[in-house]
Amino acid sequence: MSDFSSSPFPEDEGRRGRKFPVAIDAVTVLSLLVVALVLIPSRYVVGPLGGSGTPANLIAVLAFIWYCASISTERSTPLKGRQPIRTSILIYVCAILASYVAAMNRPISGEEMQAANMALLPVIGWCGIALLAADGITTKERLDTLIRRFVVGATFVGIVGIIQFATAFDLSQYLAFPGLKVNGTFISLYNRDGFNRPTSTTIHPIEFSATLAMALPLAIHYLLYGLGGRRWVKRLCVAVLAVAVPLTVSRTAVLGMAVCFIVLMPTWPRAWRHTAYVALLMFTGAMSVAVPGLLGTFKRMFFGMGDDSSATARTDDYAAVARYFSEHPLFGRGVGTFLPHTYRILDNQYLATLVETGAFGLGAVLLIFLSGWVVARRSRRKSDDPETRHLGQALAASIAVFAVTCGTFDAFSFPVAVSIAFLLIGCAGALWRITDPHGGAYVAVSPRWIRLFMGRGSAQDMVVHPVASPRSPEGAGRRR
């Protein structure tokens, strides 16, 4: 990706020797996105845009525009070499567009048409986040910087949530920025069995728990392998995230933490695993003492699901989804058109995706999750560095957490959780590229193809240039 640390204009006498004061790269933009996600409550939006107009989503859209603009020059184009994340995102975009076209070609109400139009904006933002991270992060050091910032941001969200749980005081109400409006009716504090269920700067306790559960594997990674920095800060991050997740009193919280340790712990040395078992037992005992009745509530939630209205409502969704799916099986009824107040709430993102974008859309979403998991795991296998190997496994755990929890709530309706998920999928793609940037034969697609399409090139621009592997004589020469 392009680096704006220097001026893009030709030097002249007055400009020569002067540089842009701050280097702006993909990590800078994505860090700004993380700050907007965790610091500005997602209930505050730019009024005319509704739920799609969160400040974080607008930054994400700008990231997508920047990514596309970088294709215009050969020096900055990201279209060099294989990138599984890029391919899966492209397929997802095709699925969304096919769904949109299908919606416009059937009888549709004005409300559904407006919802379909507005639904495209966050999709553009998610794709921009993943693409900018996967192709724009150039070094392992910059990748670590971005992930550390996310972990610290998630810790801040957790601290606000813990205060909210303990005192019923909503600190996030003081984080409103001028010019933003509350999107619809918002409940800042939920309750279940007498426990306050915090939302912090997110919209719902389930989104809060899913977001923090995705951050937990990465916080553990930097506690175990992070170089430099104060160790007490790393311990604080892990402790806050581990405590805050179960305070939401949701099944998503338990599933998220379970997936985190199921994916991470088998890769640890035996001594680490034994220590983790003891720590988990001590943590469970401490939580039962600090929050009396919490473990009993979780027990009733899982073993008494037959009497739980939220659980039975989720199982009832399957019959309704089968009917809607049979009407539009391939491309769905249209992205964003399955309005909860008109039809029903689907507390399962996979079912919602199946209804709105059909089998093609569901396959595209699963492909994105699978691509993120595969590239993270391949990064682990390709590297000999223990820290890099563990980071790949931690990213795989975070992606697995989101993939599993998508089955417990309509995740794509909650901007913080879904944006963080696409960010981490993009980070997995960046780690895959950094650990072995020339891992196989591939071709670099010159942006001159685009100039030819626009009528500004010649037939010579139709050449696809092969890029030599570093193991070949040509690649070896380039490395020297």
Side-chain angles (χ1 to χ4, degrees), residues 140-192:
K140 173 67 165 48
E141 290 72 21
R142 295 297 286 163
L143 178 62
D144 283 328
T145 297
L146 175 62
I147 298 178
R148 285 194 186 99
R149 289 170 178 171
F150 161 60
V151 170
V152 172
T155 303
F156 169 78
V157 174
I159 291 173
V160 173
I162 292 173
I163 294 173
Q164 198 174 13
F165 174 86
T167 66
F169 175 69
D170 183 17
L171 181 62
S172 65
Q173 64 183 316
Y174 297 101
L175 299 177
F177 281 67
L180 301 179
K181 299 180 179 180
V182 176
N183 181 38
T185 303
F186 176 76
I187 301 175
S188 63
L189 191 64
Y190 292 76
N191 188 280
R192 172 176 281 173

Side-chain angles (χ1 to χ4, degrees), residues 142-455:
R142 295 297 286 163
L143 178 62
D144 283 328
T145 297
L146 175 62
I147 298 178
R148 285 194 186 99
R149 289 170 178 171
F150 161 60
V151 170
V152 172
T155 303
F156 169 78
V157 174
I159 291 173
V160 173
I162 292 173
I163 294 173
Q164 198 174 13
F165 174 86
T167 66
F169 175 69
D170 183 17
L171 181 62
S172 65
Q173 64 183 316
Y174 297 101
L175 299 177
F177 281 67
L180 301 179
K181 299 180 179 180
V182 176
N183 181 38
T185 303
F186 176 76
I187 301 175
S188 63
L189 191 64
Y190 292 76
N191 188 280
R192 172 176 281 173
D193 289 354
F195 293 107
N196 295 325
R197 303 181 66 197
T199 59
S200 187
T201 58
T202 65
I203 294 179
H204 193 274
I206 295 180
E207 181 188 21
F208 173 81
S209 64
T211 302
L212 267 58
M214 285 188 282
L216 183 57
L218 300 168
I220 293 174
H221 166 75
Y222 288 111
L223 174 63
L224 297 175
Y225 284 99
L227 301 176
R230 295 179 176 87
R231 191 163 182 81
W232 69 267
V233 174
K234 301 171 186 176
R235 290 174 177 170
L236 176 66
C237 290
V238 173
V240 167
L241 295 175
V243 169
V245 170
L247 295 183
T248 58
V249 197
S250 66
R251 299 180 188 87
T252 302
V254 177
L255 288 175
M257 293 190 70
V259 171
C260 166
F261 289 105
I262 288 172
V263 176
L264 275 184
M265 290 179 61
T267 65
W268 289 352
R270 179 179 298 179
W272 288 15
R273 292 199 300 271
H274 291 169
T275 302
Y277 296 145
V278 174
L280 287 173
L281 289 174
M282 294 177 62
F283 173 77
T284 303
M287 289 295 293
S288 64
V289 172
V291 189
L294 182 62
L295 294 183
T297 299
F298 278 120
K299 181 180 178 180
R300 288 191 297 272
M301 288 171 57
F302 280 95
F303 294 100
M305 293 179 63
D307 301 325
D308 190 335
S309 60
S310 65
T312 55
R314 285 174 167 84
T315 57
D316 293 341
D317 288 338
Y318 288 93
V321 166
R323 178 168 58 87
Y324 289 117
F325 174 70
S326 64
E327 297 173 356
H328 308 279
L330 186 56
F331 300 123
R333 58 182 293 109
V335 57
T337 61
F338 195 79
L339 304 177
H341 59 272
T342 302
Y343 301 101
R344 63 187 295 147
I345 296 175
L346 294 177
D347 285 323
N348 184 321
Q349 184 55 50
Y350 297 116
L351 296 182
T353 300
L354 190 64
V355 170
E356 292 191 341
T357 61
F360 186 22
L362 179 60
V365 169
L366 293 175
L367 180 62
I368 290 177
F369 294 162
L370 180 62
S371 298
W373 168 272
V374 169
V375 296
R377 290 282 299 161
R378 285 186 177 177
S379 300
R380 171 181 172 80
R381 291 197 296 267
K382 288 189 296 185
S383 177
D384 295 327
D385 176 44
E387 190 271 338
T388 301
R389 287 171 56 83
H390 193 269
L391 177 59
Q393 191 70 15
L395 285 169
S398 297
I399 294 168
V401 166
F402 186 74
V404 171
T405 55
C406 274
T408 64
F409 74 120
D410 48 332
F412 285 19
S413 299
F414 296 90
V416 176
V418 65
S419 297
I420 292 300
F422 273 81
L423 174 65
L424 296 181
I425 289 170
C427 288
L431 183 64
W432 176 84
R433 195 191 69 254
I434 291 168
T435 52
D436 190 0
H438 303 295
Y442 62 93
V443 296
V445 181
S446 171
R448 289 176 292 187
W449 282 50
I450 297 176
R451 295 202 291 273
L452 179 66
F453 178 77
M454 297 173 64

Side-chain angles (χ1 to χ4, degrees), residues 52-89:
S52 301
T54 63
N57 192 54
L58 297 181
I59 295 173
V61 171
L62 292 176
F64 180 82
I65 295 173
W66 184 30
Y67 181 90
C68 294
S70 68
I71 300 174
S72 62
T73 63
E74 189 169 7
R75 171 179 172 270
S76 63
T77 179
L79 303 181
K80 294 180 179 178
R82 294 181 299 139
Q83 176 53 272
I85 300 302
R86 188 195 311 144
T87 303
S88 62
I89 290 294

